[in-house]
Structures are given as structure tokens and as C-alpha cells.
Amino acid sequence: MKHLPLEPELLAVLPAQIDLRLVVTDMDGTLLDGRGRVPAGLMDAVVDMRDAGVVFAPASGRQLSNLRAVLGSAVDESPLIAENGSFVVHGGEEIHSDTIRAQDAEAAITTTRHLVDSGYDVGAVVACKYCAYIERSDAAFLEQARLYYEALEIVEDLTTIPLDEALKVAVFDFDDVENGSSQALTAAVPHVQTVVSGLHWTDMMSARVSKGRALAALQTRLEILPEQTAVFGDYLNDLDLYDHADLGFAMRNAHPGIHAAAAYTAPANTEDGVLRTVAELLRRSRRQG
């Protein structure tokens, strides 16, 4: 599939020849367009990557089941980095996982309830490997949770589920999370890693979890080097990806922290930035071959 050419300033700074073997991309604000839709040319791009011996892997805060539902056959043969890197699978095989301590998950749930009592419009999602759980069930919150969690179950009390199997607790805030509830959550549950993963989401995970740690595990399994890896991201939960890829691209719409970490800038997610850039990387990789 033909794509619009990249801007001359990006074409000028990219290496003339590369050995591309792995493409890792965030979803929201990165691969998906401004309305959260999969780009029309994704399947063609994945076929082009497969033909060139390049592995395609989404890396998202989204649930494993959600990634499979949203991306469909495009990821039938792909590794999947889910839940901000706390769960990685390839085919039917688990490659990597990091769970949160049960007591920390319970503290995150309790803190979210306290925030509600204090006037915050928030709700918690406890994400396990194959199902996520919520106790807030109003239509507005359900709509947000279902955007990212395909396998979702409503329970009366989140503290009664098997919390030792939880990958993370994600808290949705209908207001500005970075300047609001995320600060309270960070202070209240100090033994976890608290990451702002979008304008309205805070993810609370094991201190070991990162998309970068998950990417490193995948690279080891596939025997792929950082210089053979391209990554695309837009928000702070993507930050550690750039430690493991020489071809690091910040979307033009990315958070300033991502621009500071990335070597290159790709067109915005609203301009089909990932697929346009990948098409150019494949052209330059073929020259290497």
C-alpha cells in the first residue's frame, strides 16, 4: 500500500541503510488515529513487514484480549506486549509477566474509594492476565473501561477477587489525571510504580514493570538487537521503550518527555505516522539486504 512521503527533515536524518527486524508501537495516540481507529493500511503494512522478516508487536496499556479484538488478524502471528509491559505473549506462550503485590493492589483500590469520597470522579480497574474487574458500573465509566478491556467483569467488591493474580490497578479520572488524582495515588501507595498513561488514566503496577523491560525480554527471546528495533510512542508509559531501540520515534503529538527521549520524530497519529515511517524504514532495510 502506498503512503504519503515523510517530511524532508525526517528523511534527511534517518540512516541511509538499516537492518530492521522488530517494530514496536504503542496504540492510543500512536498507531490509532484521533478517533481511536486502526489505520486502514495496517494489514498491508504487517504483510510487508512479514515478507521482509520484520516482527510487528503492539505495546500498550491495553488488555491482551482487547489488543486481539481491536487489531484482529493483523496480530495473529505477532508478540503482544499488554498491560504496559506486565504481560507478554507470543502465540499461546507466555514470555514475560510481572504481578503486583496483593496488599498494594488492595491499597490502590482503597485509595480510589477514598478519592471518590473526597469528590474525585474516578474508578478502578483491576487487570489480571485474562480478565479485568471493576466495581463501579455506571454507563459513563463502563464506556471508558470497555475501550481498553475486552474481558471485563463487574463485581460488588474488588478486594474479594484474587488480588495476587493482578497485573495492575488502572484508575480512570474524568478530569486531568496528571495534575489531579495521580498525585494522590502516588502518595498513598508508595510501594508500586505509578505511571500516567494518558490524559485520564493512571496505572499502578509492580515497580519492575515497564514496556522497556517487556521489550528487552522479547528481544532476548527473538534474538533481536536494539539497533534492529524501531519503537513508536506518544506518552510517558512509553518512555522506557527508547532505552532498547536505536530507531526511537516520538509521534509529533507526543508528550515532551517522549520527544526528549526519542532520536527521531514521526508524523502525528492523525497523519498515519507509524505506517508512513515503517514504509520508509522497510525501504532502507531492503537496501541493507
Side-chain angles (χ1 to χ4, degrees):
M1 183 174 182
K2 292 185 177 180
H3 298 278
L4 292 172
L6 294 176
E7 290 82 352
E9 57 267 30
L10 178 55
L11 291 172
V13 297
L14 283 174
Q17 293 186 330
I18 59 174
D19 180 21
L20 186 65
R21 292 289 179 265
L22 175 62
V23 170
V24 177
T25 178
D26 173 53
M27 292 280 285
D28 299 276
T30 302
L31 178 65
L32 305 185
D33 70 12
R35 296 173 62 183
R37 299 174 301 189
V38 176
L42 178 61
M43 192 66 237
D44 289 338
V46 170
V47 170
D48 288 344
M49 283 185 265
R50 289 175 186 165
D51 289 346
V54 176
V55 176
F56 171 70
S60 176
R62 290 174 177 251
Q63 180 188 49
L64 178 66
S65 296
N66 180 271
L67 289 174
R68 287 174 170 157
V70 171
L71 296 173
S73 59
V75 293
D76 281 351
E77 300 178 22
S78 294
L80 301 171
I81 299 174
E83 307 286 9
N84 273 330
S86 60
F87 192 37
V88 185
V89 300
H90 193 186
E93 181 185 4
E94 178 180 321
I95 292 176
H96 173 81
S97 67
D98 282 310
T99 56
I100 192 172
R101 296 191 312 168
Q103 56 265 45
D104 290 330
E106 184 168 355
I109 294 164
T110 302
T111 301
T112 304
R113 292 171 177 169
H114 290 161
L115 287 170
V116 172
D117 293 339
S118 300
Y120 286 87
D121 194 3
V122 297
V125 180
V126 178
C128 298
K129 291 181 180 179
Y130 297 103
C131 187
Y133 302 89
I134 57 175
E135 61 185 18
R136 177 173 171 174
S137 58
D138 58 281
F141 179 72
L142 272 173
E143 180 182 6
Q144 297 301 323
R146 285 173 173 158
L147 286 174
Y148 305 101
Y149 297 93
E150 189 75 14
L152 186 66
E153 183 177 331
I154 301 170
V155 297
E156 289 189 11
D157 182 353
L158 282 173
T159 63
T160 64
I161 68 172
L163 292 177
D164 56 347
E165 299 176 8
L167 297 167
K168 71 178 183 183
V169 178
V171 178
F172 182 84
D173 188 334
F174 283 90
D175 296 315
D176 179 5
V177 64
E178 194 166 1
N179 297 310
S181 60
S182 68
Q183 297 180 20
L185 289 163
T186 301
V189 196
H191 301 297
V192 303
Q193 175 186 184
T194 304
V195 177
V196 175
S197 60
L199 292 176
H200 299 284
W201 285 99
T202 299
D203 289 341
M204 308 179 74
M205 308 166 290
S206 163
R208 297 173 297 177
V209 168
S210 74
K211 289 186 181 181
R213 174 173 158 89
L215 172 55
L218 181 59
Q219 287 171 320
T220 297
R221 178 61 62 93
L222 299 178
E223 298 183 340
I224 291 175
L225 301 173
E227 54 263 38
Q228 299 170 317
T229 304
V231 301
F232 297 84
D234 77 302
Y235 223 80
L236 297 175
N237 61 327
D238 302 318
L239 196 58
D240 287 349
L241 288 173
Y242 297 90
D243 294 335
H244 303 277
D246 289 3
L247 294 165
F249 294 87
M251 309 309 290
R252 194 170 301 280
N253 53 288
H255 188 284
I258 298 298
H259 281 287
Y264 307 101
T265 300
N269 67 311
T270 55
E271 300 170 352
D272 210 14
V274 171
L275 298 192
R276 288 169 61 195
T277 305
V278 167
E280 180 62 29
L281 294 178
L282 289 174
R283 280 192 287 272
R284 296 185 185 220
S285 189
R286 290 188 184 105
R287 294 178 197 169
Q288 180 75 18

Short mmCIF file of all heavy atoms in Angstrom, two decimals, residues 85-124:
data_model
loop_
_atom_site.label_atom_id
_atom_site.label_comp_id
_atom_site.label_asym_id
_atom_site.label_seq_id
_atom_site.Cartn_x
_atom_site.Cartn_y
_atom_site.Cartn_z
N GLY A 85 3.38 -3.61 29.65
CA GLY A 85 4.58 -4.45 29.73
C GLY A 85 4.56 -5.49 30.82
O GLY A 85 5.51 -6.26 30.95
N SER A 86 3.48 -5.54 31.58
CA SER A 86 3.44 -6.53 32.65
C SER A 86 3.08 -7.92 32.15
O SER A 86 3.22 -8.90 32.90
CB SER A 86 2.44 -6.10 33.74
OG SER A 86 1.14 -5.98 33.22
N PHE A 87 2.66 -8.04 30.89
CA PHE A 87 2.27 -9.34 30.35
C PHE A 87 2.63 -9.39 28.87
O PHE A 87 2.20 -8.53 28.09
CB PHE A 87 0.76 -9.54 30.53
CG PHE A 87 0.27 -10.94 30.29
CD1 PHE A 87 1.01 -12.05 30.66
CD2 PHE A 87 -0.97 -11.16 29.71
CE1 PHE A 87 0.55 -13.34 30.46
CE2 PHE A 87 -1.46 -12.44 29.51
CZ PHE A 87 -0.69 -13.53 29.88
N VAL A 88 3.44 -10.37 28.50
CA VAL A 88 3.89 -10.52 27.12
C VAL A 88 3.64 -11.95 26.67
O VAL A 88 4.05 -12.90 27.34
CB VAL A 88 5.40 -10.20 26.96
CG1 VAL A 88 5.80 -10.24 25.48
CG2 VAL A 88 5.74 -8.85 27.57
N VAL A 89 2.97 -12.10 25.54
CA VAL A 89 2.72 -13.43 24.98
C VAL A 89 3.11 -13.43 23.50
O VAL A 89 3.14 -12.40 22.83
CB VAL A 89 1.24 -13.85 25.12
CG1 VAL A 89 0.82 -13.89 26.57
CG2 VAL A 89 0.32 -12.93 24.31
N HIS A 90 3.41 -14.62 23.02
CA HIS A 90 3.66 -14.83 21.59
C HIS A 90 3.01 -16.15 21.22
O HIS A 90 3.42 -17.20 21.70
CB HIS A 90 5.15 -14.86 21.29
CG HIS A 90 5.47 -14.75 19.82
ND1 HIS A 90 6.75 -14.87 19.32
CD2 HIS A 90 4.67 -14.52 18.74
CE1 HIS A 90 6.72 -14.73 18.01
NE2 HIS A 90 5.47 -14.52 17.64
N GLY A 91 1.96 -16.06 20.39
CA GLY A 91 1.16 -17.24 20.14
C GLY A 91 0.45 -17.62 21.43
O GLY A 91 -0.16 -16.81 22.10
N GLY A 92 0.55 -18.87 21.82
CA GLY A 92 -0.06 -19.31 23.07
C GLY A 92 0.92 -19.34 24.23
O GLY A 92 0.59 -19.84 25.30
N GLU A 93 2.11 -18.79 24.04
CA GLU A 93 3.16 -18.89 25.05
C GLU A 93 3.34 -17.59 25.80
O GLU A 93 3.45 -16.52 25.20
CB GLU A 93 4.48 -19.28 24.39
CG GLU A 93 5.64 -19.43 25.36
CD GLU A 93 6.96 -19.70 24.67
OE1 GLU A 93 6.99 -19.68 23.42
OE2 GLU A 93 7.96 -19.91 25.39
N GLU A 94 3.37 -17.67 27.12
CA GLU A 94 3.70 -16.52 27.94
C GLU A 94 5.21 -16.33 27.96
O GLU A 94 5.96 -17.24 28.33
CB GLU A 94 3.18 -16.72 29.37
CG GLU A 94 3.54 -15.57 30.31
CD GLU A 94 3.03 -15.77 31.72
OE1 GLU A 94 1.89 -16.28 31.88
OE2 GLU A 94 3.77 -15.44 32.66
N ILE A 95 5.66 -15.15 27.56
CA ILE A 95 7.08 -14.85 27.52
C ILE A 95 7.54 -14.14 28.78
O ILE A 95 8.66 -14.35 29.27
CB ILE A 95 7.40 -13.98 26.27
CG1 ILE A 95 7.22 -14.81 25.00
CG2 ILE A 95 8.81 -13.42 26.35
CD1 ILE A 95 7.42 -14.01 23.73
N HIS A 96 6.65 -13.32 29.36
CA HIS A 96 7.07 -12.48 30.48
C HIS A 96 5.83 -12.00 31.22
O HIS A 96 4.80 -11.71 30.61
CB HIS A 96 7.84 -11.27 29.92
CG HIS A 96 8.18 -10.23 30.95
ND1 HIS A 96 9.26 -10.35 31.79
CD2 HIS A 96 7.59 -9.05 31.26
CE1 HIS A 96 9.32 -9.29 32.58
NE2 HIS A 96 8.31 -8.49 32.27
N SER A 97 5.93 -11.91 32.56
CA SER A 97 4.85 -11.30 33.33
C SER A 97 5.39 -10.77 34.65
O SER A 97 6.37 -11.30 35.19
CB SER A 97 3.71 -12.28 33.58
OG SER A 97 4.11 -13.33 34.43
N ASP A 98 4.77 -9.72 35.16
CA ASP A 98 5.07 -9.15 36.47
C ASP A 98 3.75 -8.81 37.14
O ASP A 98 2.97 -7.99 36.62
CB ASP A 98 5.89 -7.85 36.34
CG ASP A 98 7.36 -8.10 36.06
OD1 ASP A 98 7.97 -8.92 36.78
OD2 ASP A 98 7.89 -7.48 35.12
N THR A 99 3.47 -9.41 38.28
CA THR A 99 2.24 -9.10 39.00
C THR A 99 2.52 -8.11 40.13
O THR A 99 3.65 -7.97 40.60
CB THR A 99 1.62 -10.37 39.60
OG1 THR A 99 2.59 -11.03 40.43
CG2 THR A 99 1.17 -11.32 38.49
N ILE A 100 1.45 -7.44 40.55
CA ILE A 100 1.53 -6.51 41.67
C ILE A 100 1.30 -7.29 42.96
O ILE A 100 0.63 -8.33 42.97
CB ILE A 100 0.46 -5.40 41.49
CG1 ILE A 100 0.68 -4.24 42.45
CG2 ILE A 100 -0.94 -5.96 41.59
CD1 ILE A 100 -0.23 -3.04 42.17
N ARG A 101 1.86 -6.83 44.07
CA ARG A 101 1.60 -7.49 45.36
C ARG A 101 0.14 -7.29 45.75
O ARG A 101 -0.43 -6.21 45.54
CB ARG A 101 2.51 -6.92 46.44
CG ARG A 101 3.99 -7.15 46.22
CD ARG A 101 4.78 -6.78 47.46
NE ARG A 101 4.39 -5.46 47.98
CZ ARG A 101 4.76 -5.01 49.18
NH1 ARG A 101 5.51 -5.76 49.97
NH2 ARG A 101 4.39 -3.80 49.58
N ALA A 102 -0.45 -8.31 46.33
CA ALA A 102 -1.87 -8.24 46.70
C ALA A 102 -2.15 -7.07 47.63
O ALA A 102 -3.17 -6.37 47.49
CB ALA A 102 -2.30 -9.56 47.34
N GLN A 103 -1.26 -6.83 48.59
CA GLN A 103 -1.50 -5.75 49.54
C GLN A 103 -1.43 -4.38 48.85
O GLN A 103 -2.13 -3.44 49.25
CB GLN A 103 -0.54 -5.81 50.72
CG GLN A 103 0.94 -5.79 50.37
CD GLN A 103 1.53 -7.19 50.28
OE1 GLN A 103 0.93 -8.08 49.70
NE2 GLN A 103 2.71 -7.36 50.88
N ASP A 104 -0.60 -4.26 47.83
CA ASP A 104 -0.53 -3.00 47.09
C ASP A 104 -1.77 -2.80 46.22
O ASP A 104 -2.27 -1.68 46.08
CB ASP A 104 0.73 -2.96 46.23
CG ASP A 104 2.00 -2.84 47.05
OD1 ASP A 104 1.93 -2.25 48.16
OD2 ASP A 104 3.05 -3.35 46.63
N ALA A 105 -2.25 -3.89 45.62
CA ALA A 105 -3.48 -3.80 44.83
C ALA A 105 -4.65 -3.36 45.73
O ALA A 105 -5.45 -2.49 45.35
CB ALA A 105 -3.79 -5.14 44.18
N GLU A 106 -4.72 -3.93 46.93
CA GLU A 106 -5.79 -3.56 47.85
C GLU A 106 -5.66 -2.11 48.28
O GLU A 106 -6.67 -1.38 48.38
CB GLU A 106 -5.78 -4.48 49.07
CG GLU A 106 -6.94 -4.22 50.01
CD GLU A 106 -7.11 -5.29 51.07
OE1 GLU A 106 -6.38 -6.30 51.02
OE2 GLU A 106 -7.99 -5.12 51.93
N ALA A 107 -4.44 -1.64 48.49
CA ALA A 107 -4.24 -0.25 48.87
C ALA A 107 -4.66 0.70 47.75
O ALA A 107 -5.24 1.77 48.01
CB ALA A 107 -2.77 -0.02 49.23
N ALA A 108 -4.39 0.31 46.50
CA ALA A 108 -4.80 1.14 45.36
C ALA A 108 -6.32 1.21 45.26
O ALA A 108 -6.90 2.28 44.98
CB ALA A 108 -4.21 0.57 44.08
N ILE A 109 -6.98 0.09 45.49
CA ILE A 109 -8.45 0.05 45.46
C ILE A 109 -9.02 0.93 46.57
O ILE A 109 -9.92 1.75 46.34
CB ILE A 109 -8.95 -1.40 45.63
CG1 ILE A 109 -8.54 -2.24 44.43
CG2 ILE A 109 -10.47 -1.43 45.81
CD1 ILE A 109 -8.64 -3.74 44.69
N THR A 110 -8.49 0.79 47.77
CA THR A 110 -8.97 1.57 48.91
C THR A 110 -8.75 3.06 48.70
O THR A 110 -9.63 3.89 49.01
CB THR A 110 -8.26 1.11 50.20
OG1 THR A 110 -8.50 -0.28 50.40
CG2 THR A 110 -8.76 1.89 51.40
N THR A 111 -7.60 3.41 48.14
CA THR A 111 -7.30 4.83 47.88
C THR A 111 -8.25 5.40 46.84
O THR A 111 -8.71 6.55 46.96
CB THR A 111 -5.85 4.97 47.40
OG1 THR A 111 -4.97 4.46 48.40
CG2 THR A 111 -5.51 6.43 47.13
N THR A 112 -8.57 4.62 45.82
CA THR A 112 -9.52 5.08 44.81
C THR A 112 -10.88 5.35 45.44
O THR A 112 -11.54 6.35 45.14
CB THR A 112 -9.66 4.03 43.68
OG1 THR A 112 -8.37 3.77 43.12
CG2 THR A 112 -10.59 4.54 42.58
N ARG A 113 -11.30 4.48 46.34
CA ARG A 113 -12.57 4.71 47.04
C ARG A 113 -12.52 5.99 47.87
O ARG A 113 -13.48 6.77 47.91
CB ARG A 113 -12.88 3.51 47.93
CG ARG A 113 -13.21 2.23 47.19
CD ARG A 113 -13.28 1.07 48.17
NE ARG A 113 -13.68 -0.19 47.52
CZ ARG A 113 -13.62 -1.38 48.11
NH1 ARG A 113 -13.17 -1.47 49.36
NH2 ARG A 113 -13.99 -2.47 47.47
N HIS A 114 -11.39 6.24 48.53
CA HIS A 114 -11.24 7.46 49.32
C HIS A 114 -11.29 8.69 48.44
O HIS A 114 -11.86 9.73 48.84
CB HIS A 114 -9.93 7.43 50.10
CG HIS A 114 -9.90 6.43 51.22
ND1 HIS A 114 -8.72 5.99 51.79
CD2 HIS A 114 -10.91 5.78 51.86
CE1 HIS A 114 -9.01 5.11 52.74
NE2 HIS A 114 -10.33 4.97 52.80
N LEU A 115 -10.71 8.59 47.23
CA LEU A 115 -10.75 9.71 46.30
C LEU A 115 -12.19 10.02 45.88
O LEU A 115 -12.58 11.18 45.77
CB LEU A 115 -9.89 9.41 45.07
CG LEU A 115 -8.38 9.46 45.29
CD1 LEU A 115 -7.64 8.90 44.07
CD2 LEU A 115 -7.92 10.89 45.56
N VAL A 116 -12.97 8.97 45.65
CA VAL A 116 -14.38 9.16 45.32
C VAL A 116 -15.09 9.88 46.46
O VAL A 116 -15.85 10.83 46.24
CB VAL A 116 -15.06 7.80 45.03
CG1 VAL A 116 -16.57 7.98 44.88
CG2 VAL A 116 -14.49 7.18 43.76
N ASP A 117 -14.82 9.46 47.68
CA ASP A 117 -15.44 10.09 48.85
C ASP A 117 -15.03 11.56 48.99
O ASP A 117 -15.77 12.37 49.57
CB ASP A 117 -15.06 9.34 50.13
CG ASP A 117 -15.67 7.94 50.19
OD1 ASP A 117 -16.66 7.70 49.47
OD2 ASP A 117 -15.13 7.10 50.93
N SER A 118 -13.84 11.88 48.43
CA SER A 118 -13.33 13.25 48.51
C SER A 118 -13.78 14.11 47.34
O SER A 118 -13.38 15.28 47.23
CB SER A 118 -11.80 13.24 48.55
OG SER A 118 -11.33 12.52 49.67
N GLY A 119 -14.56 13.55 46.43
CA GLY A 119 -15.11 14.33 45.33
C GLY A 119 -14.49 14.09 43.97
O GLY A 119 -14.89 14.72 42.98
N TYR A 120 -13.50 13.20 43.88
CA TYR A 120 -12.91 12.87 42.59
C TYR A 120 -13.84 11.95 41.80
O TYR A 120 -14.45 11.04 42.37
CB TYR A 120 -11.56 12.17 42.76
CG TYR A 120 -10.43 13.06 43.20
CD1 TYR A 120 -10.20 13.32 44.55
CD2 TYR A 120 -9.58 13.64 42.27
CE1 TYR A 120 -9.15 14.13 44.96
CE2 TYR A 120 -8.52 14.44 42.66
CZ TYR A 120 -8.31 14.70 44.01
OH TYR A 120 -7.27 15.50 44.40
N ASP A 121 -13.92 12.19 40.51
CA ASP A 121 -14.75 11.34 39.64
C ASP A 121 -13.86 10.27 39.04
O ASP A 121 -13.41 10.37 37.89
CB ASP A 121 -15.41 12.20 38.55
CG ASP A 121 -16.53 11.47 37.81
OD1 ASP A 121 -16.84 10.32 38.18
OD2 ASP A 121 -17.07 12.04 36.85
N VAL A 122 -13.58 9.22 39.80
CA VAL A 122 -12.61 8.20 39.41
C VAL A 122 -13.21 6.81 39.61
O VAL A 122 -14.20 6.62 40.33
CB VAL A 122 -11.30 8.31 40.23
CG1 VAL A 122 -10.61 9.63 39.96
CG2 VAL A 122 -11.58 8.15 41.74
N GLY A 123 -12.57 5.83 38.97
CA GLY A 123 -12.95 4.44 39.15
C GLY A 123 -11.75 3.55 38.88
O GLY A 123 -10.88 3.90 38.07
N ALA A 124 -11.70 2.40 39.55
CA ALA A 124 -10.56 1.49 39.44
C ALA A 124 -10.90 0.28 38.59
O ALA A 124 -12.01 -0.24 38.63
CB ALA A 124 -10.10 1.04 40.82
#
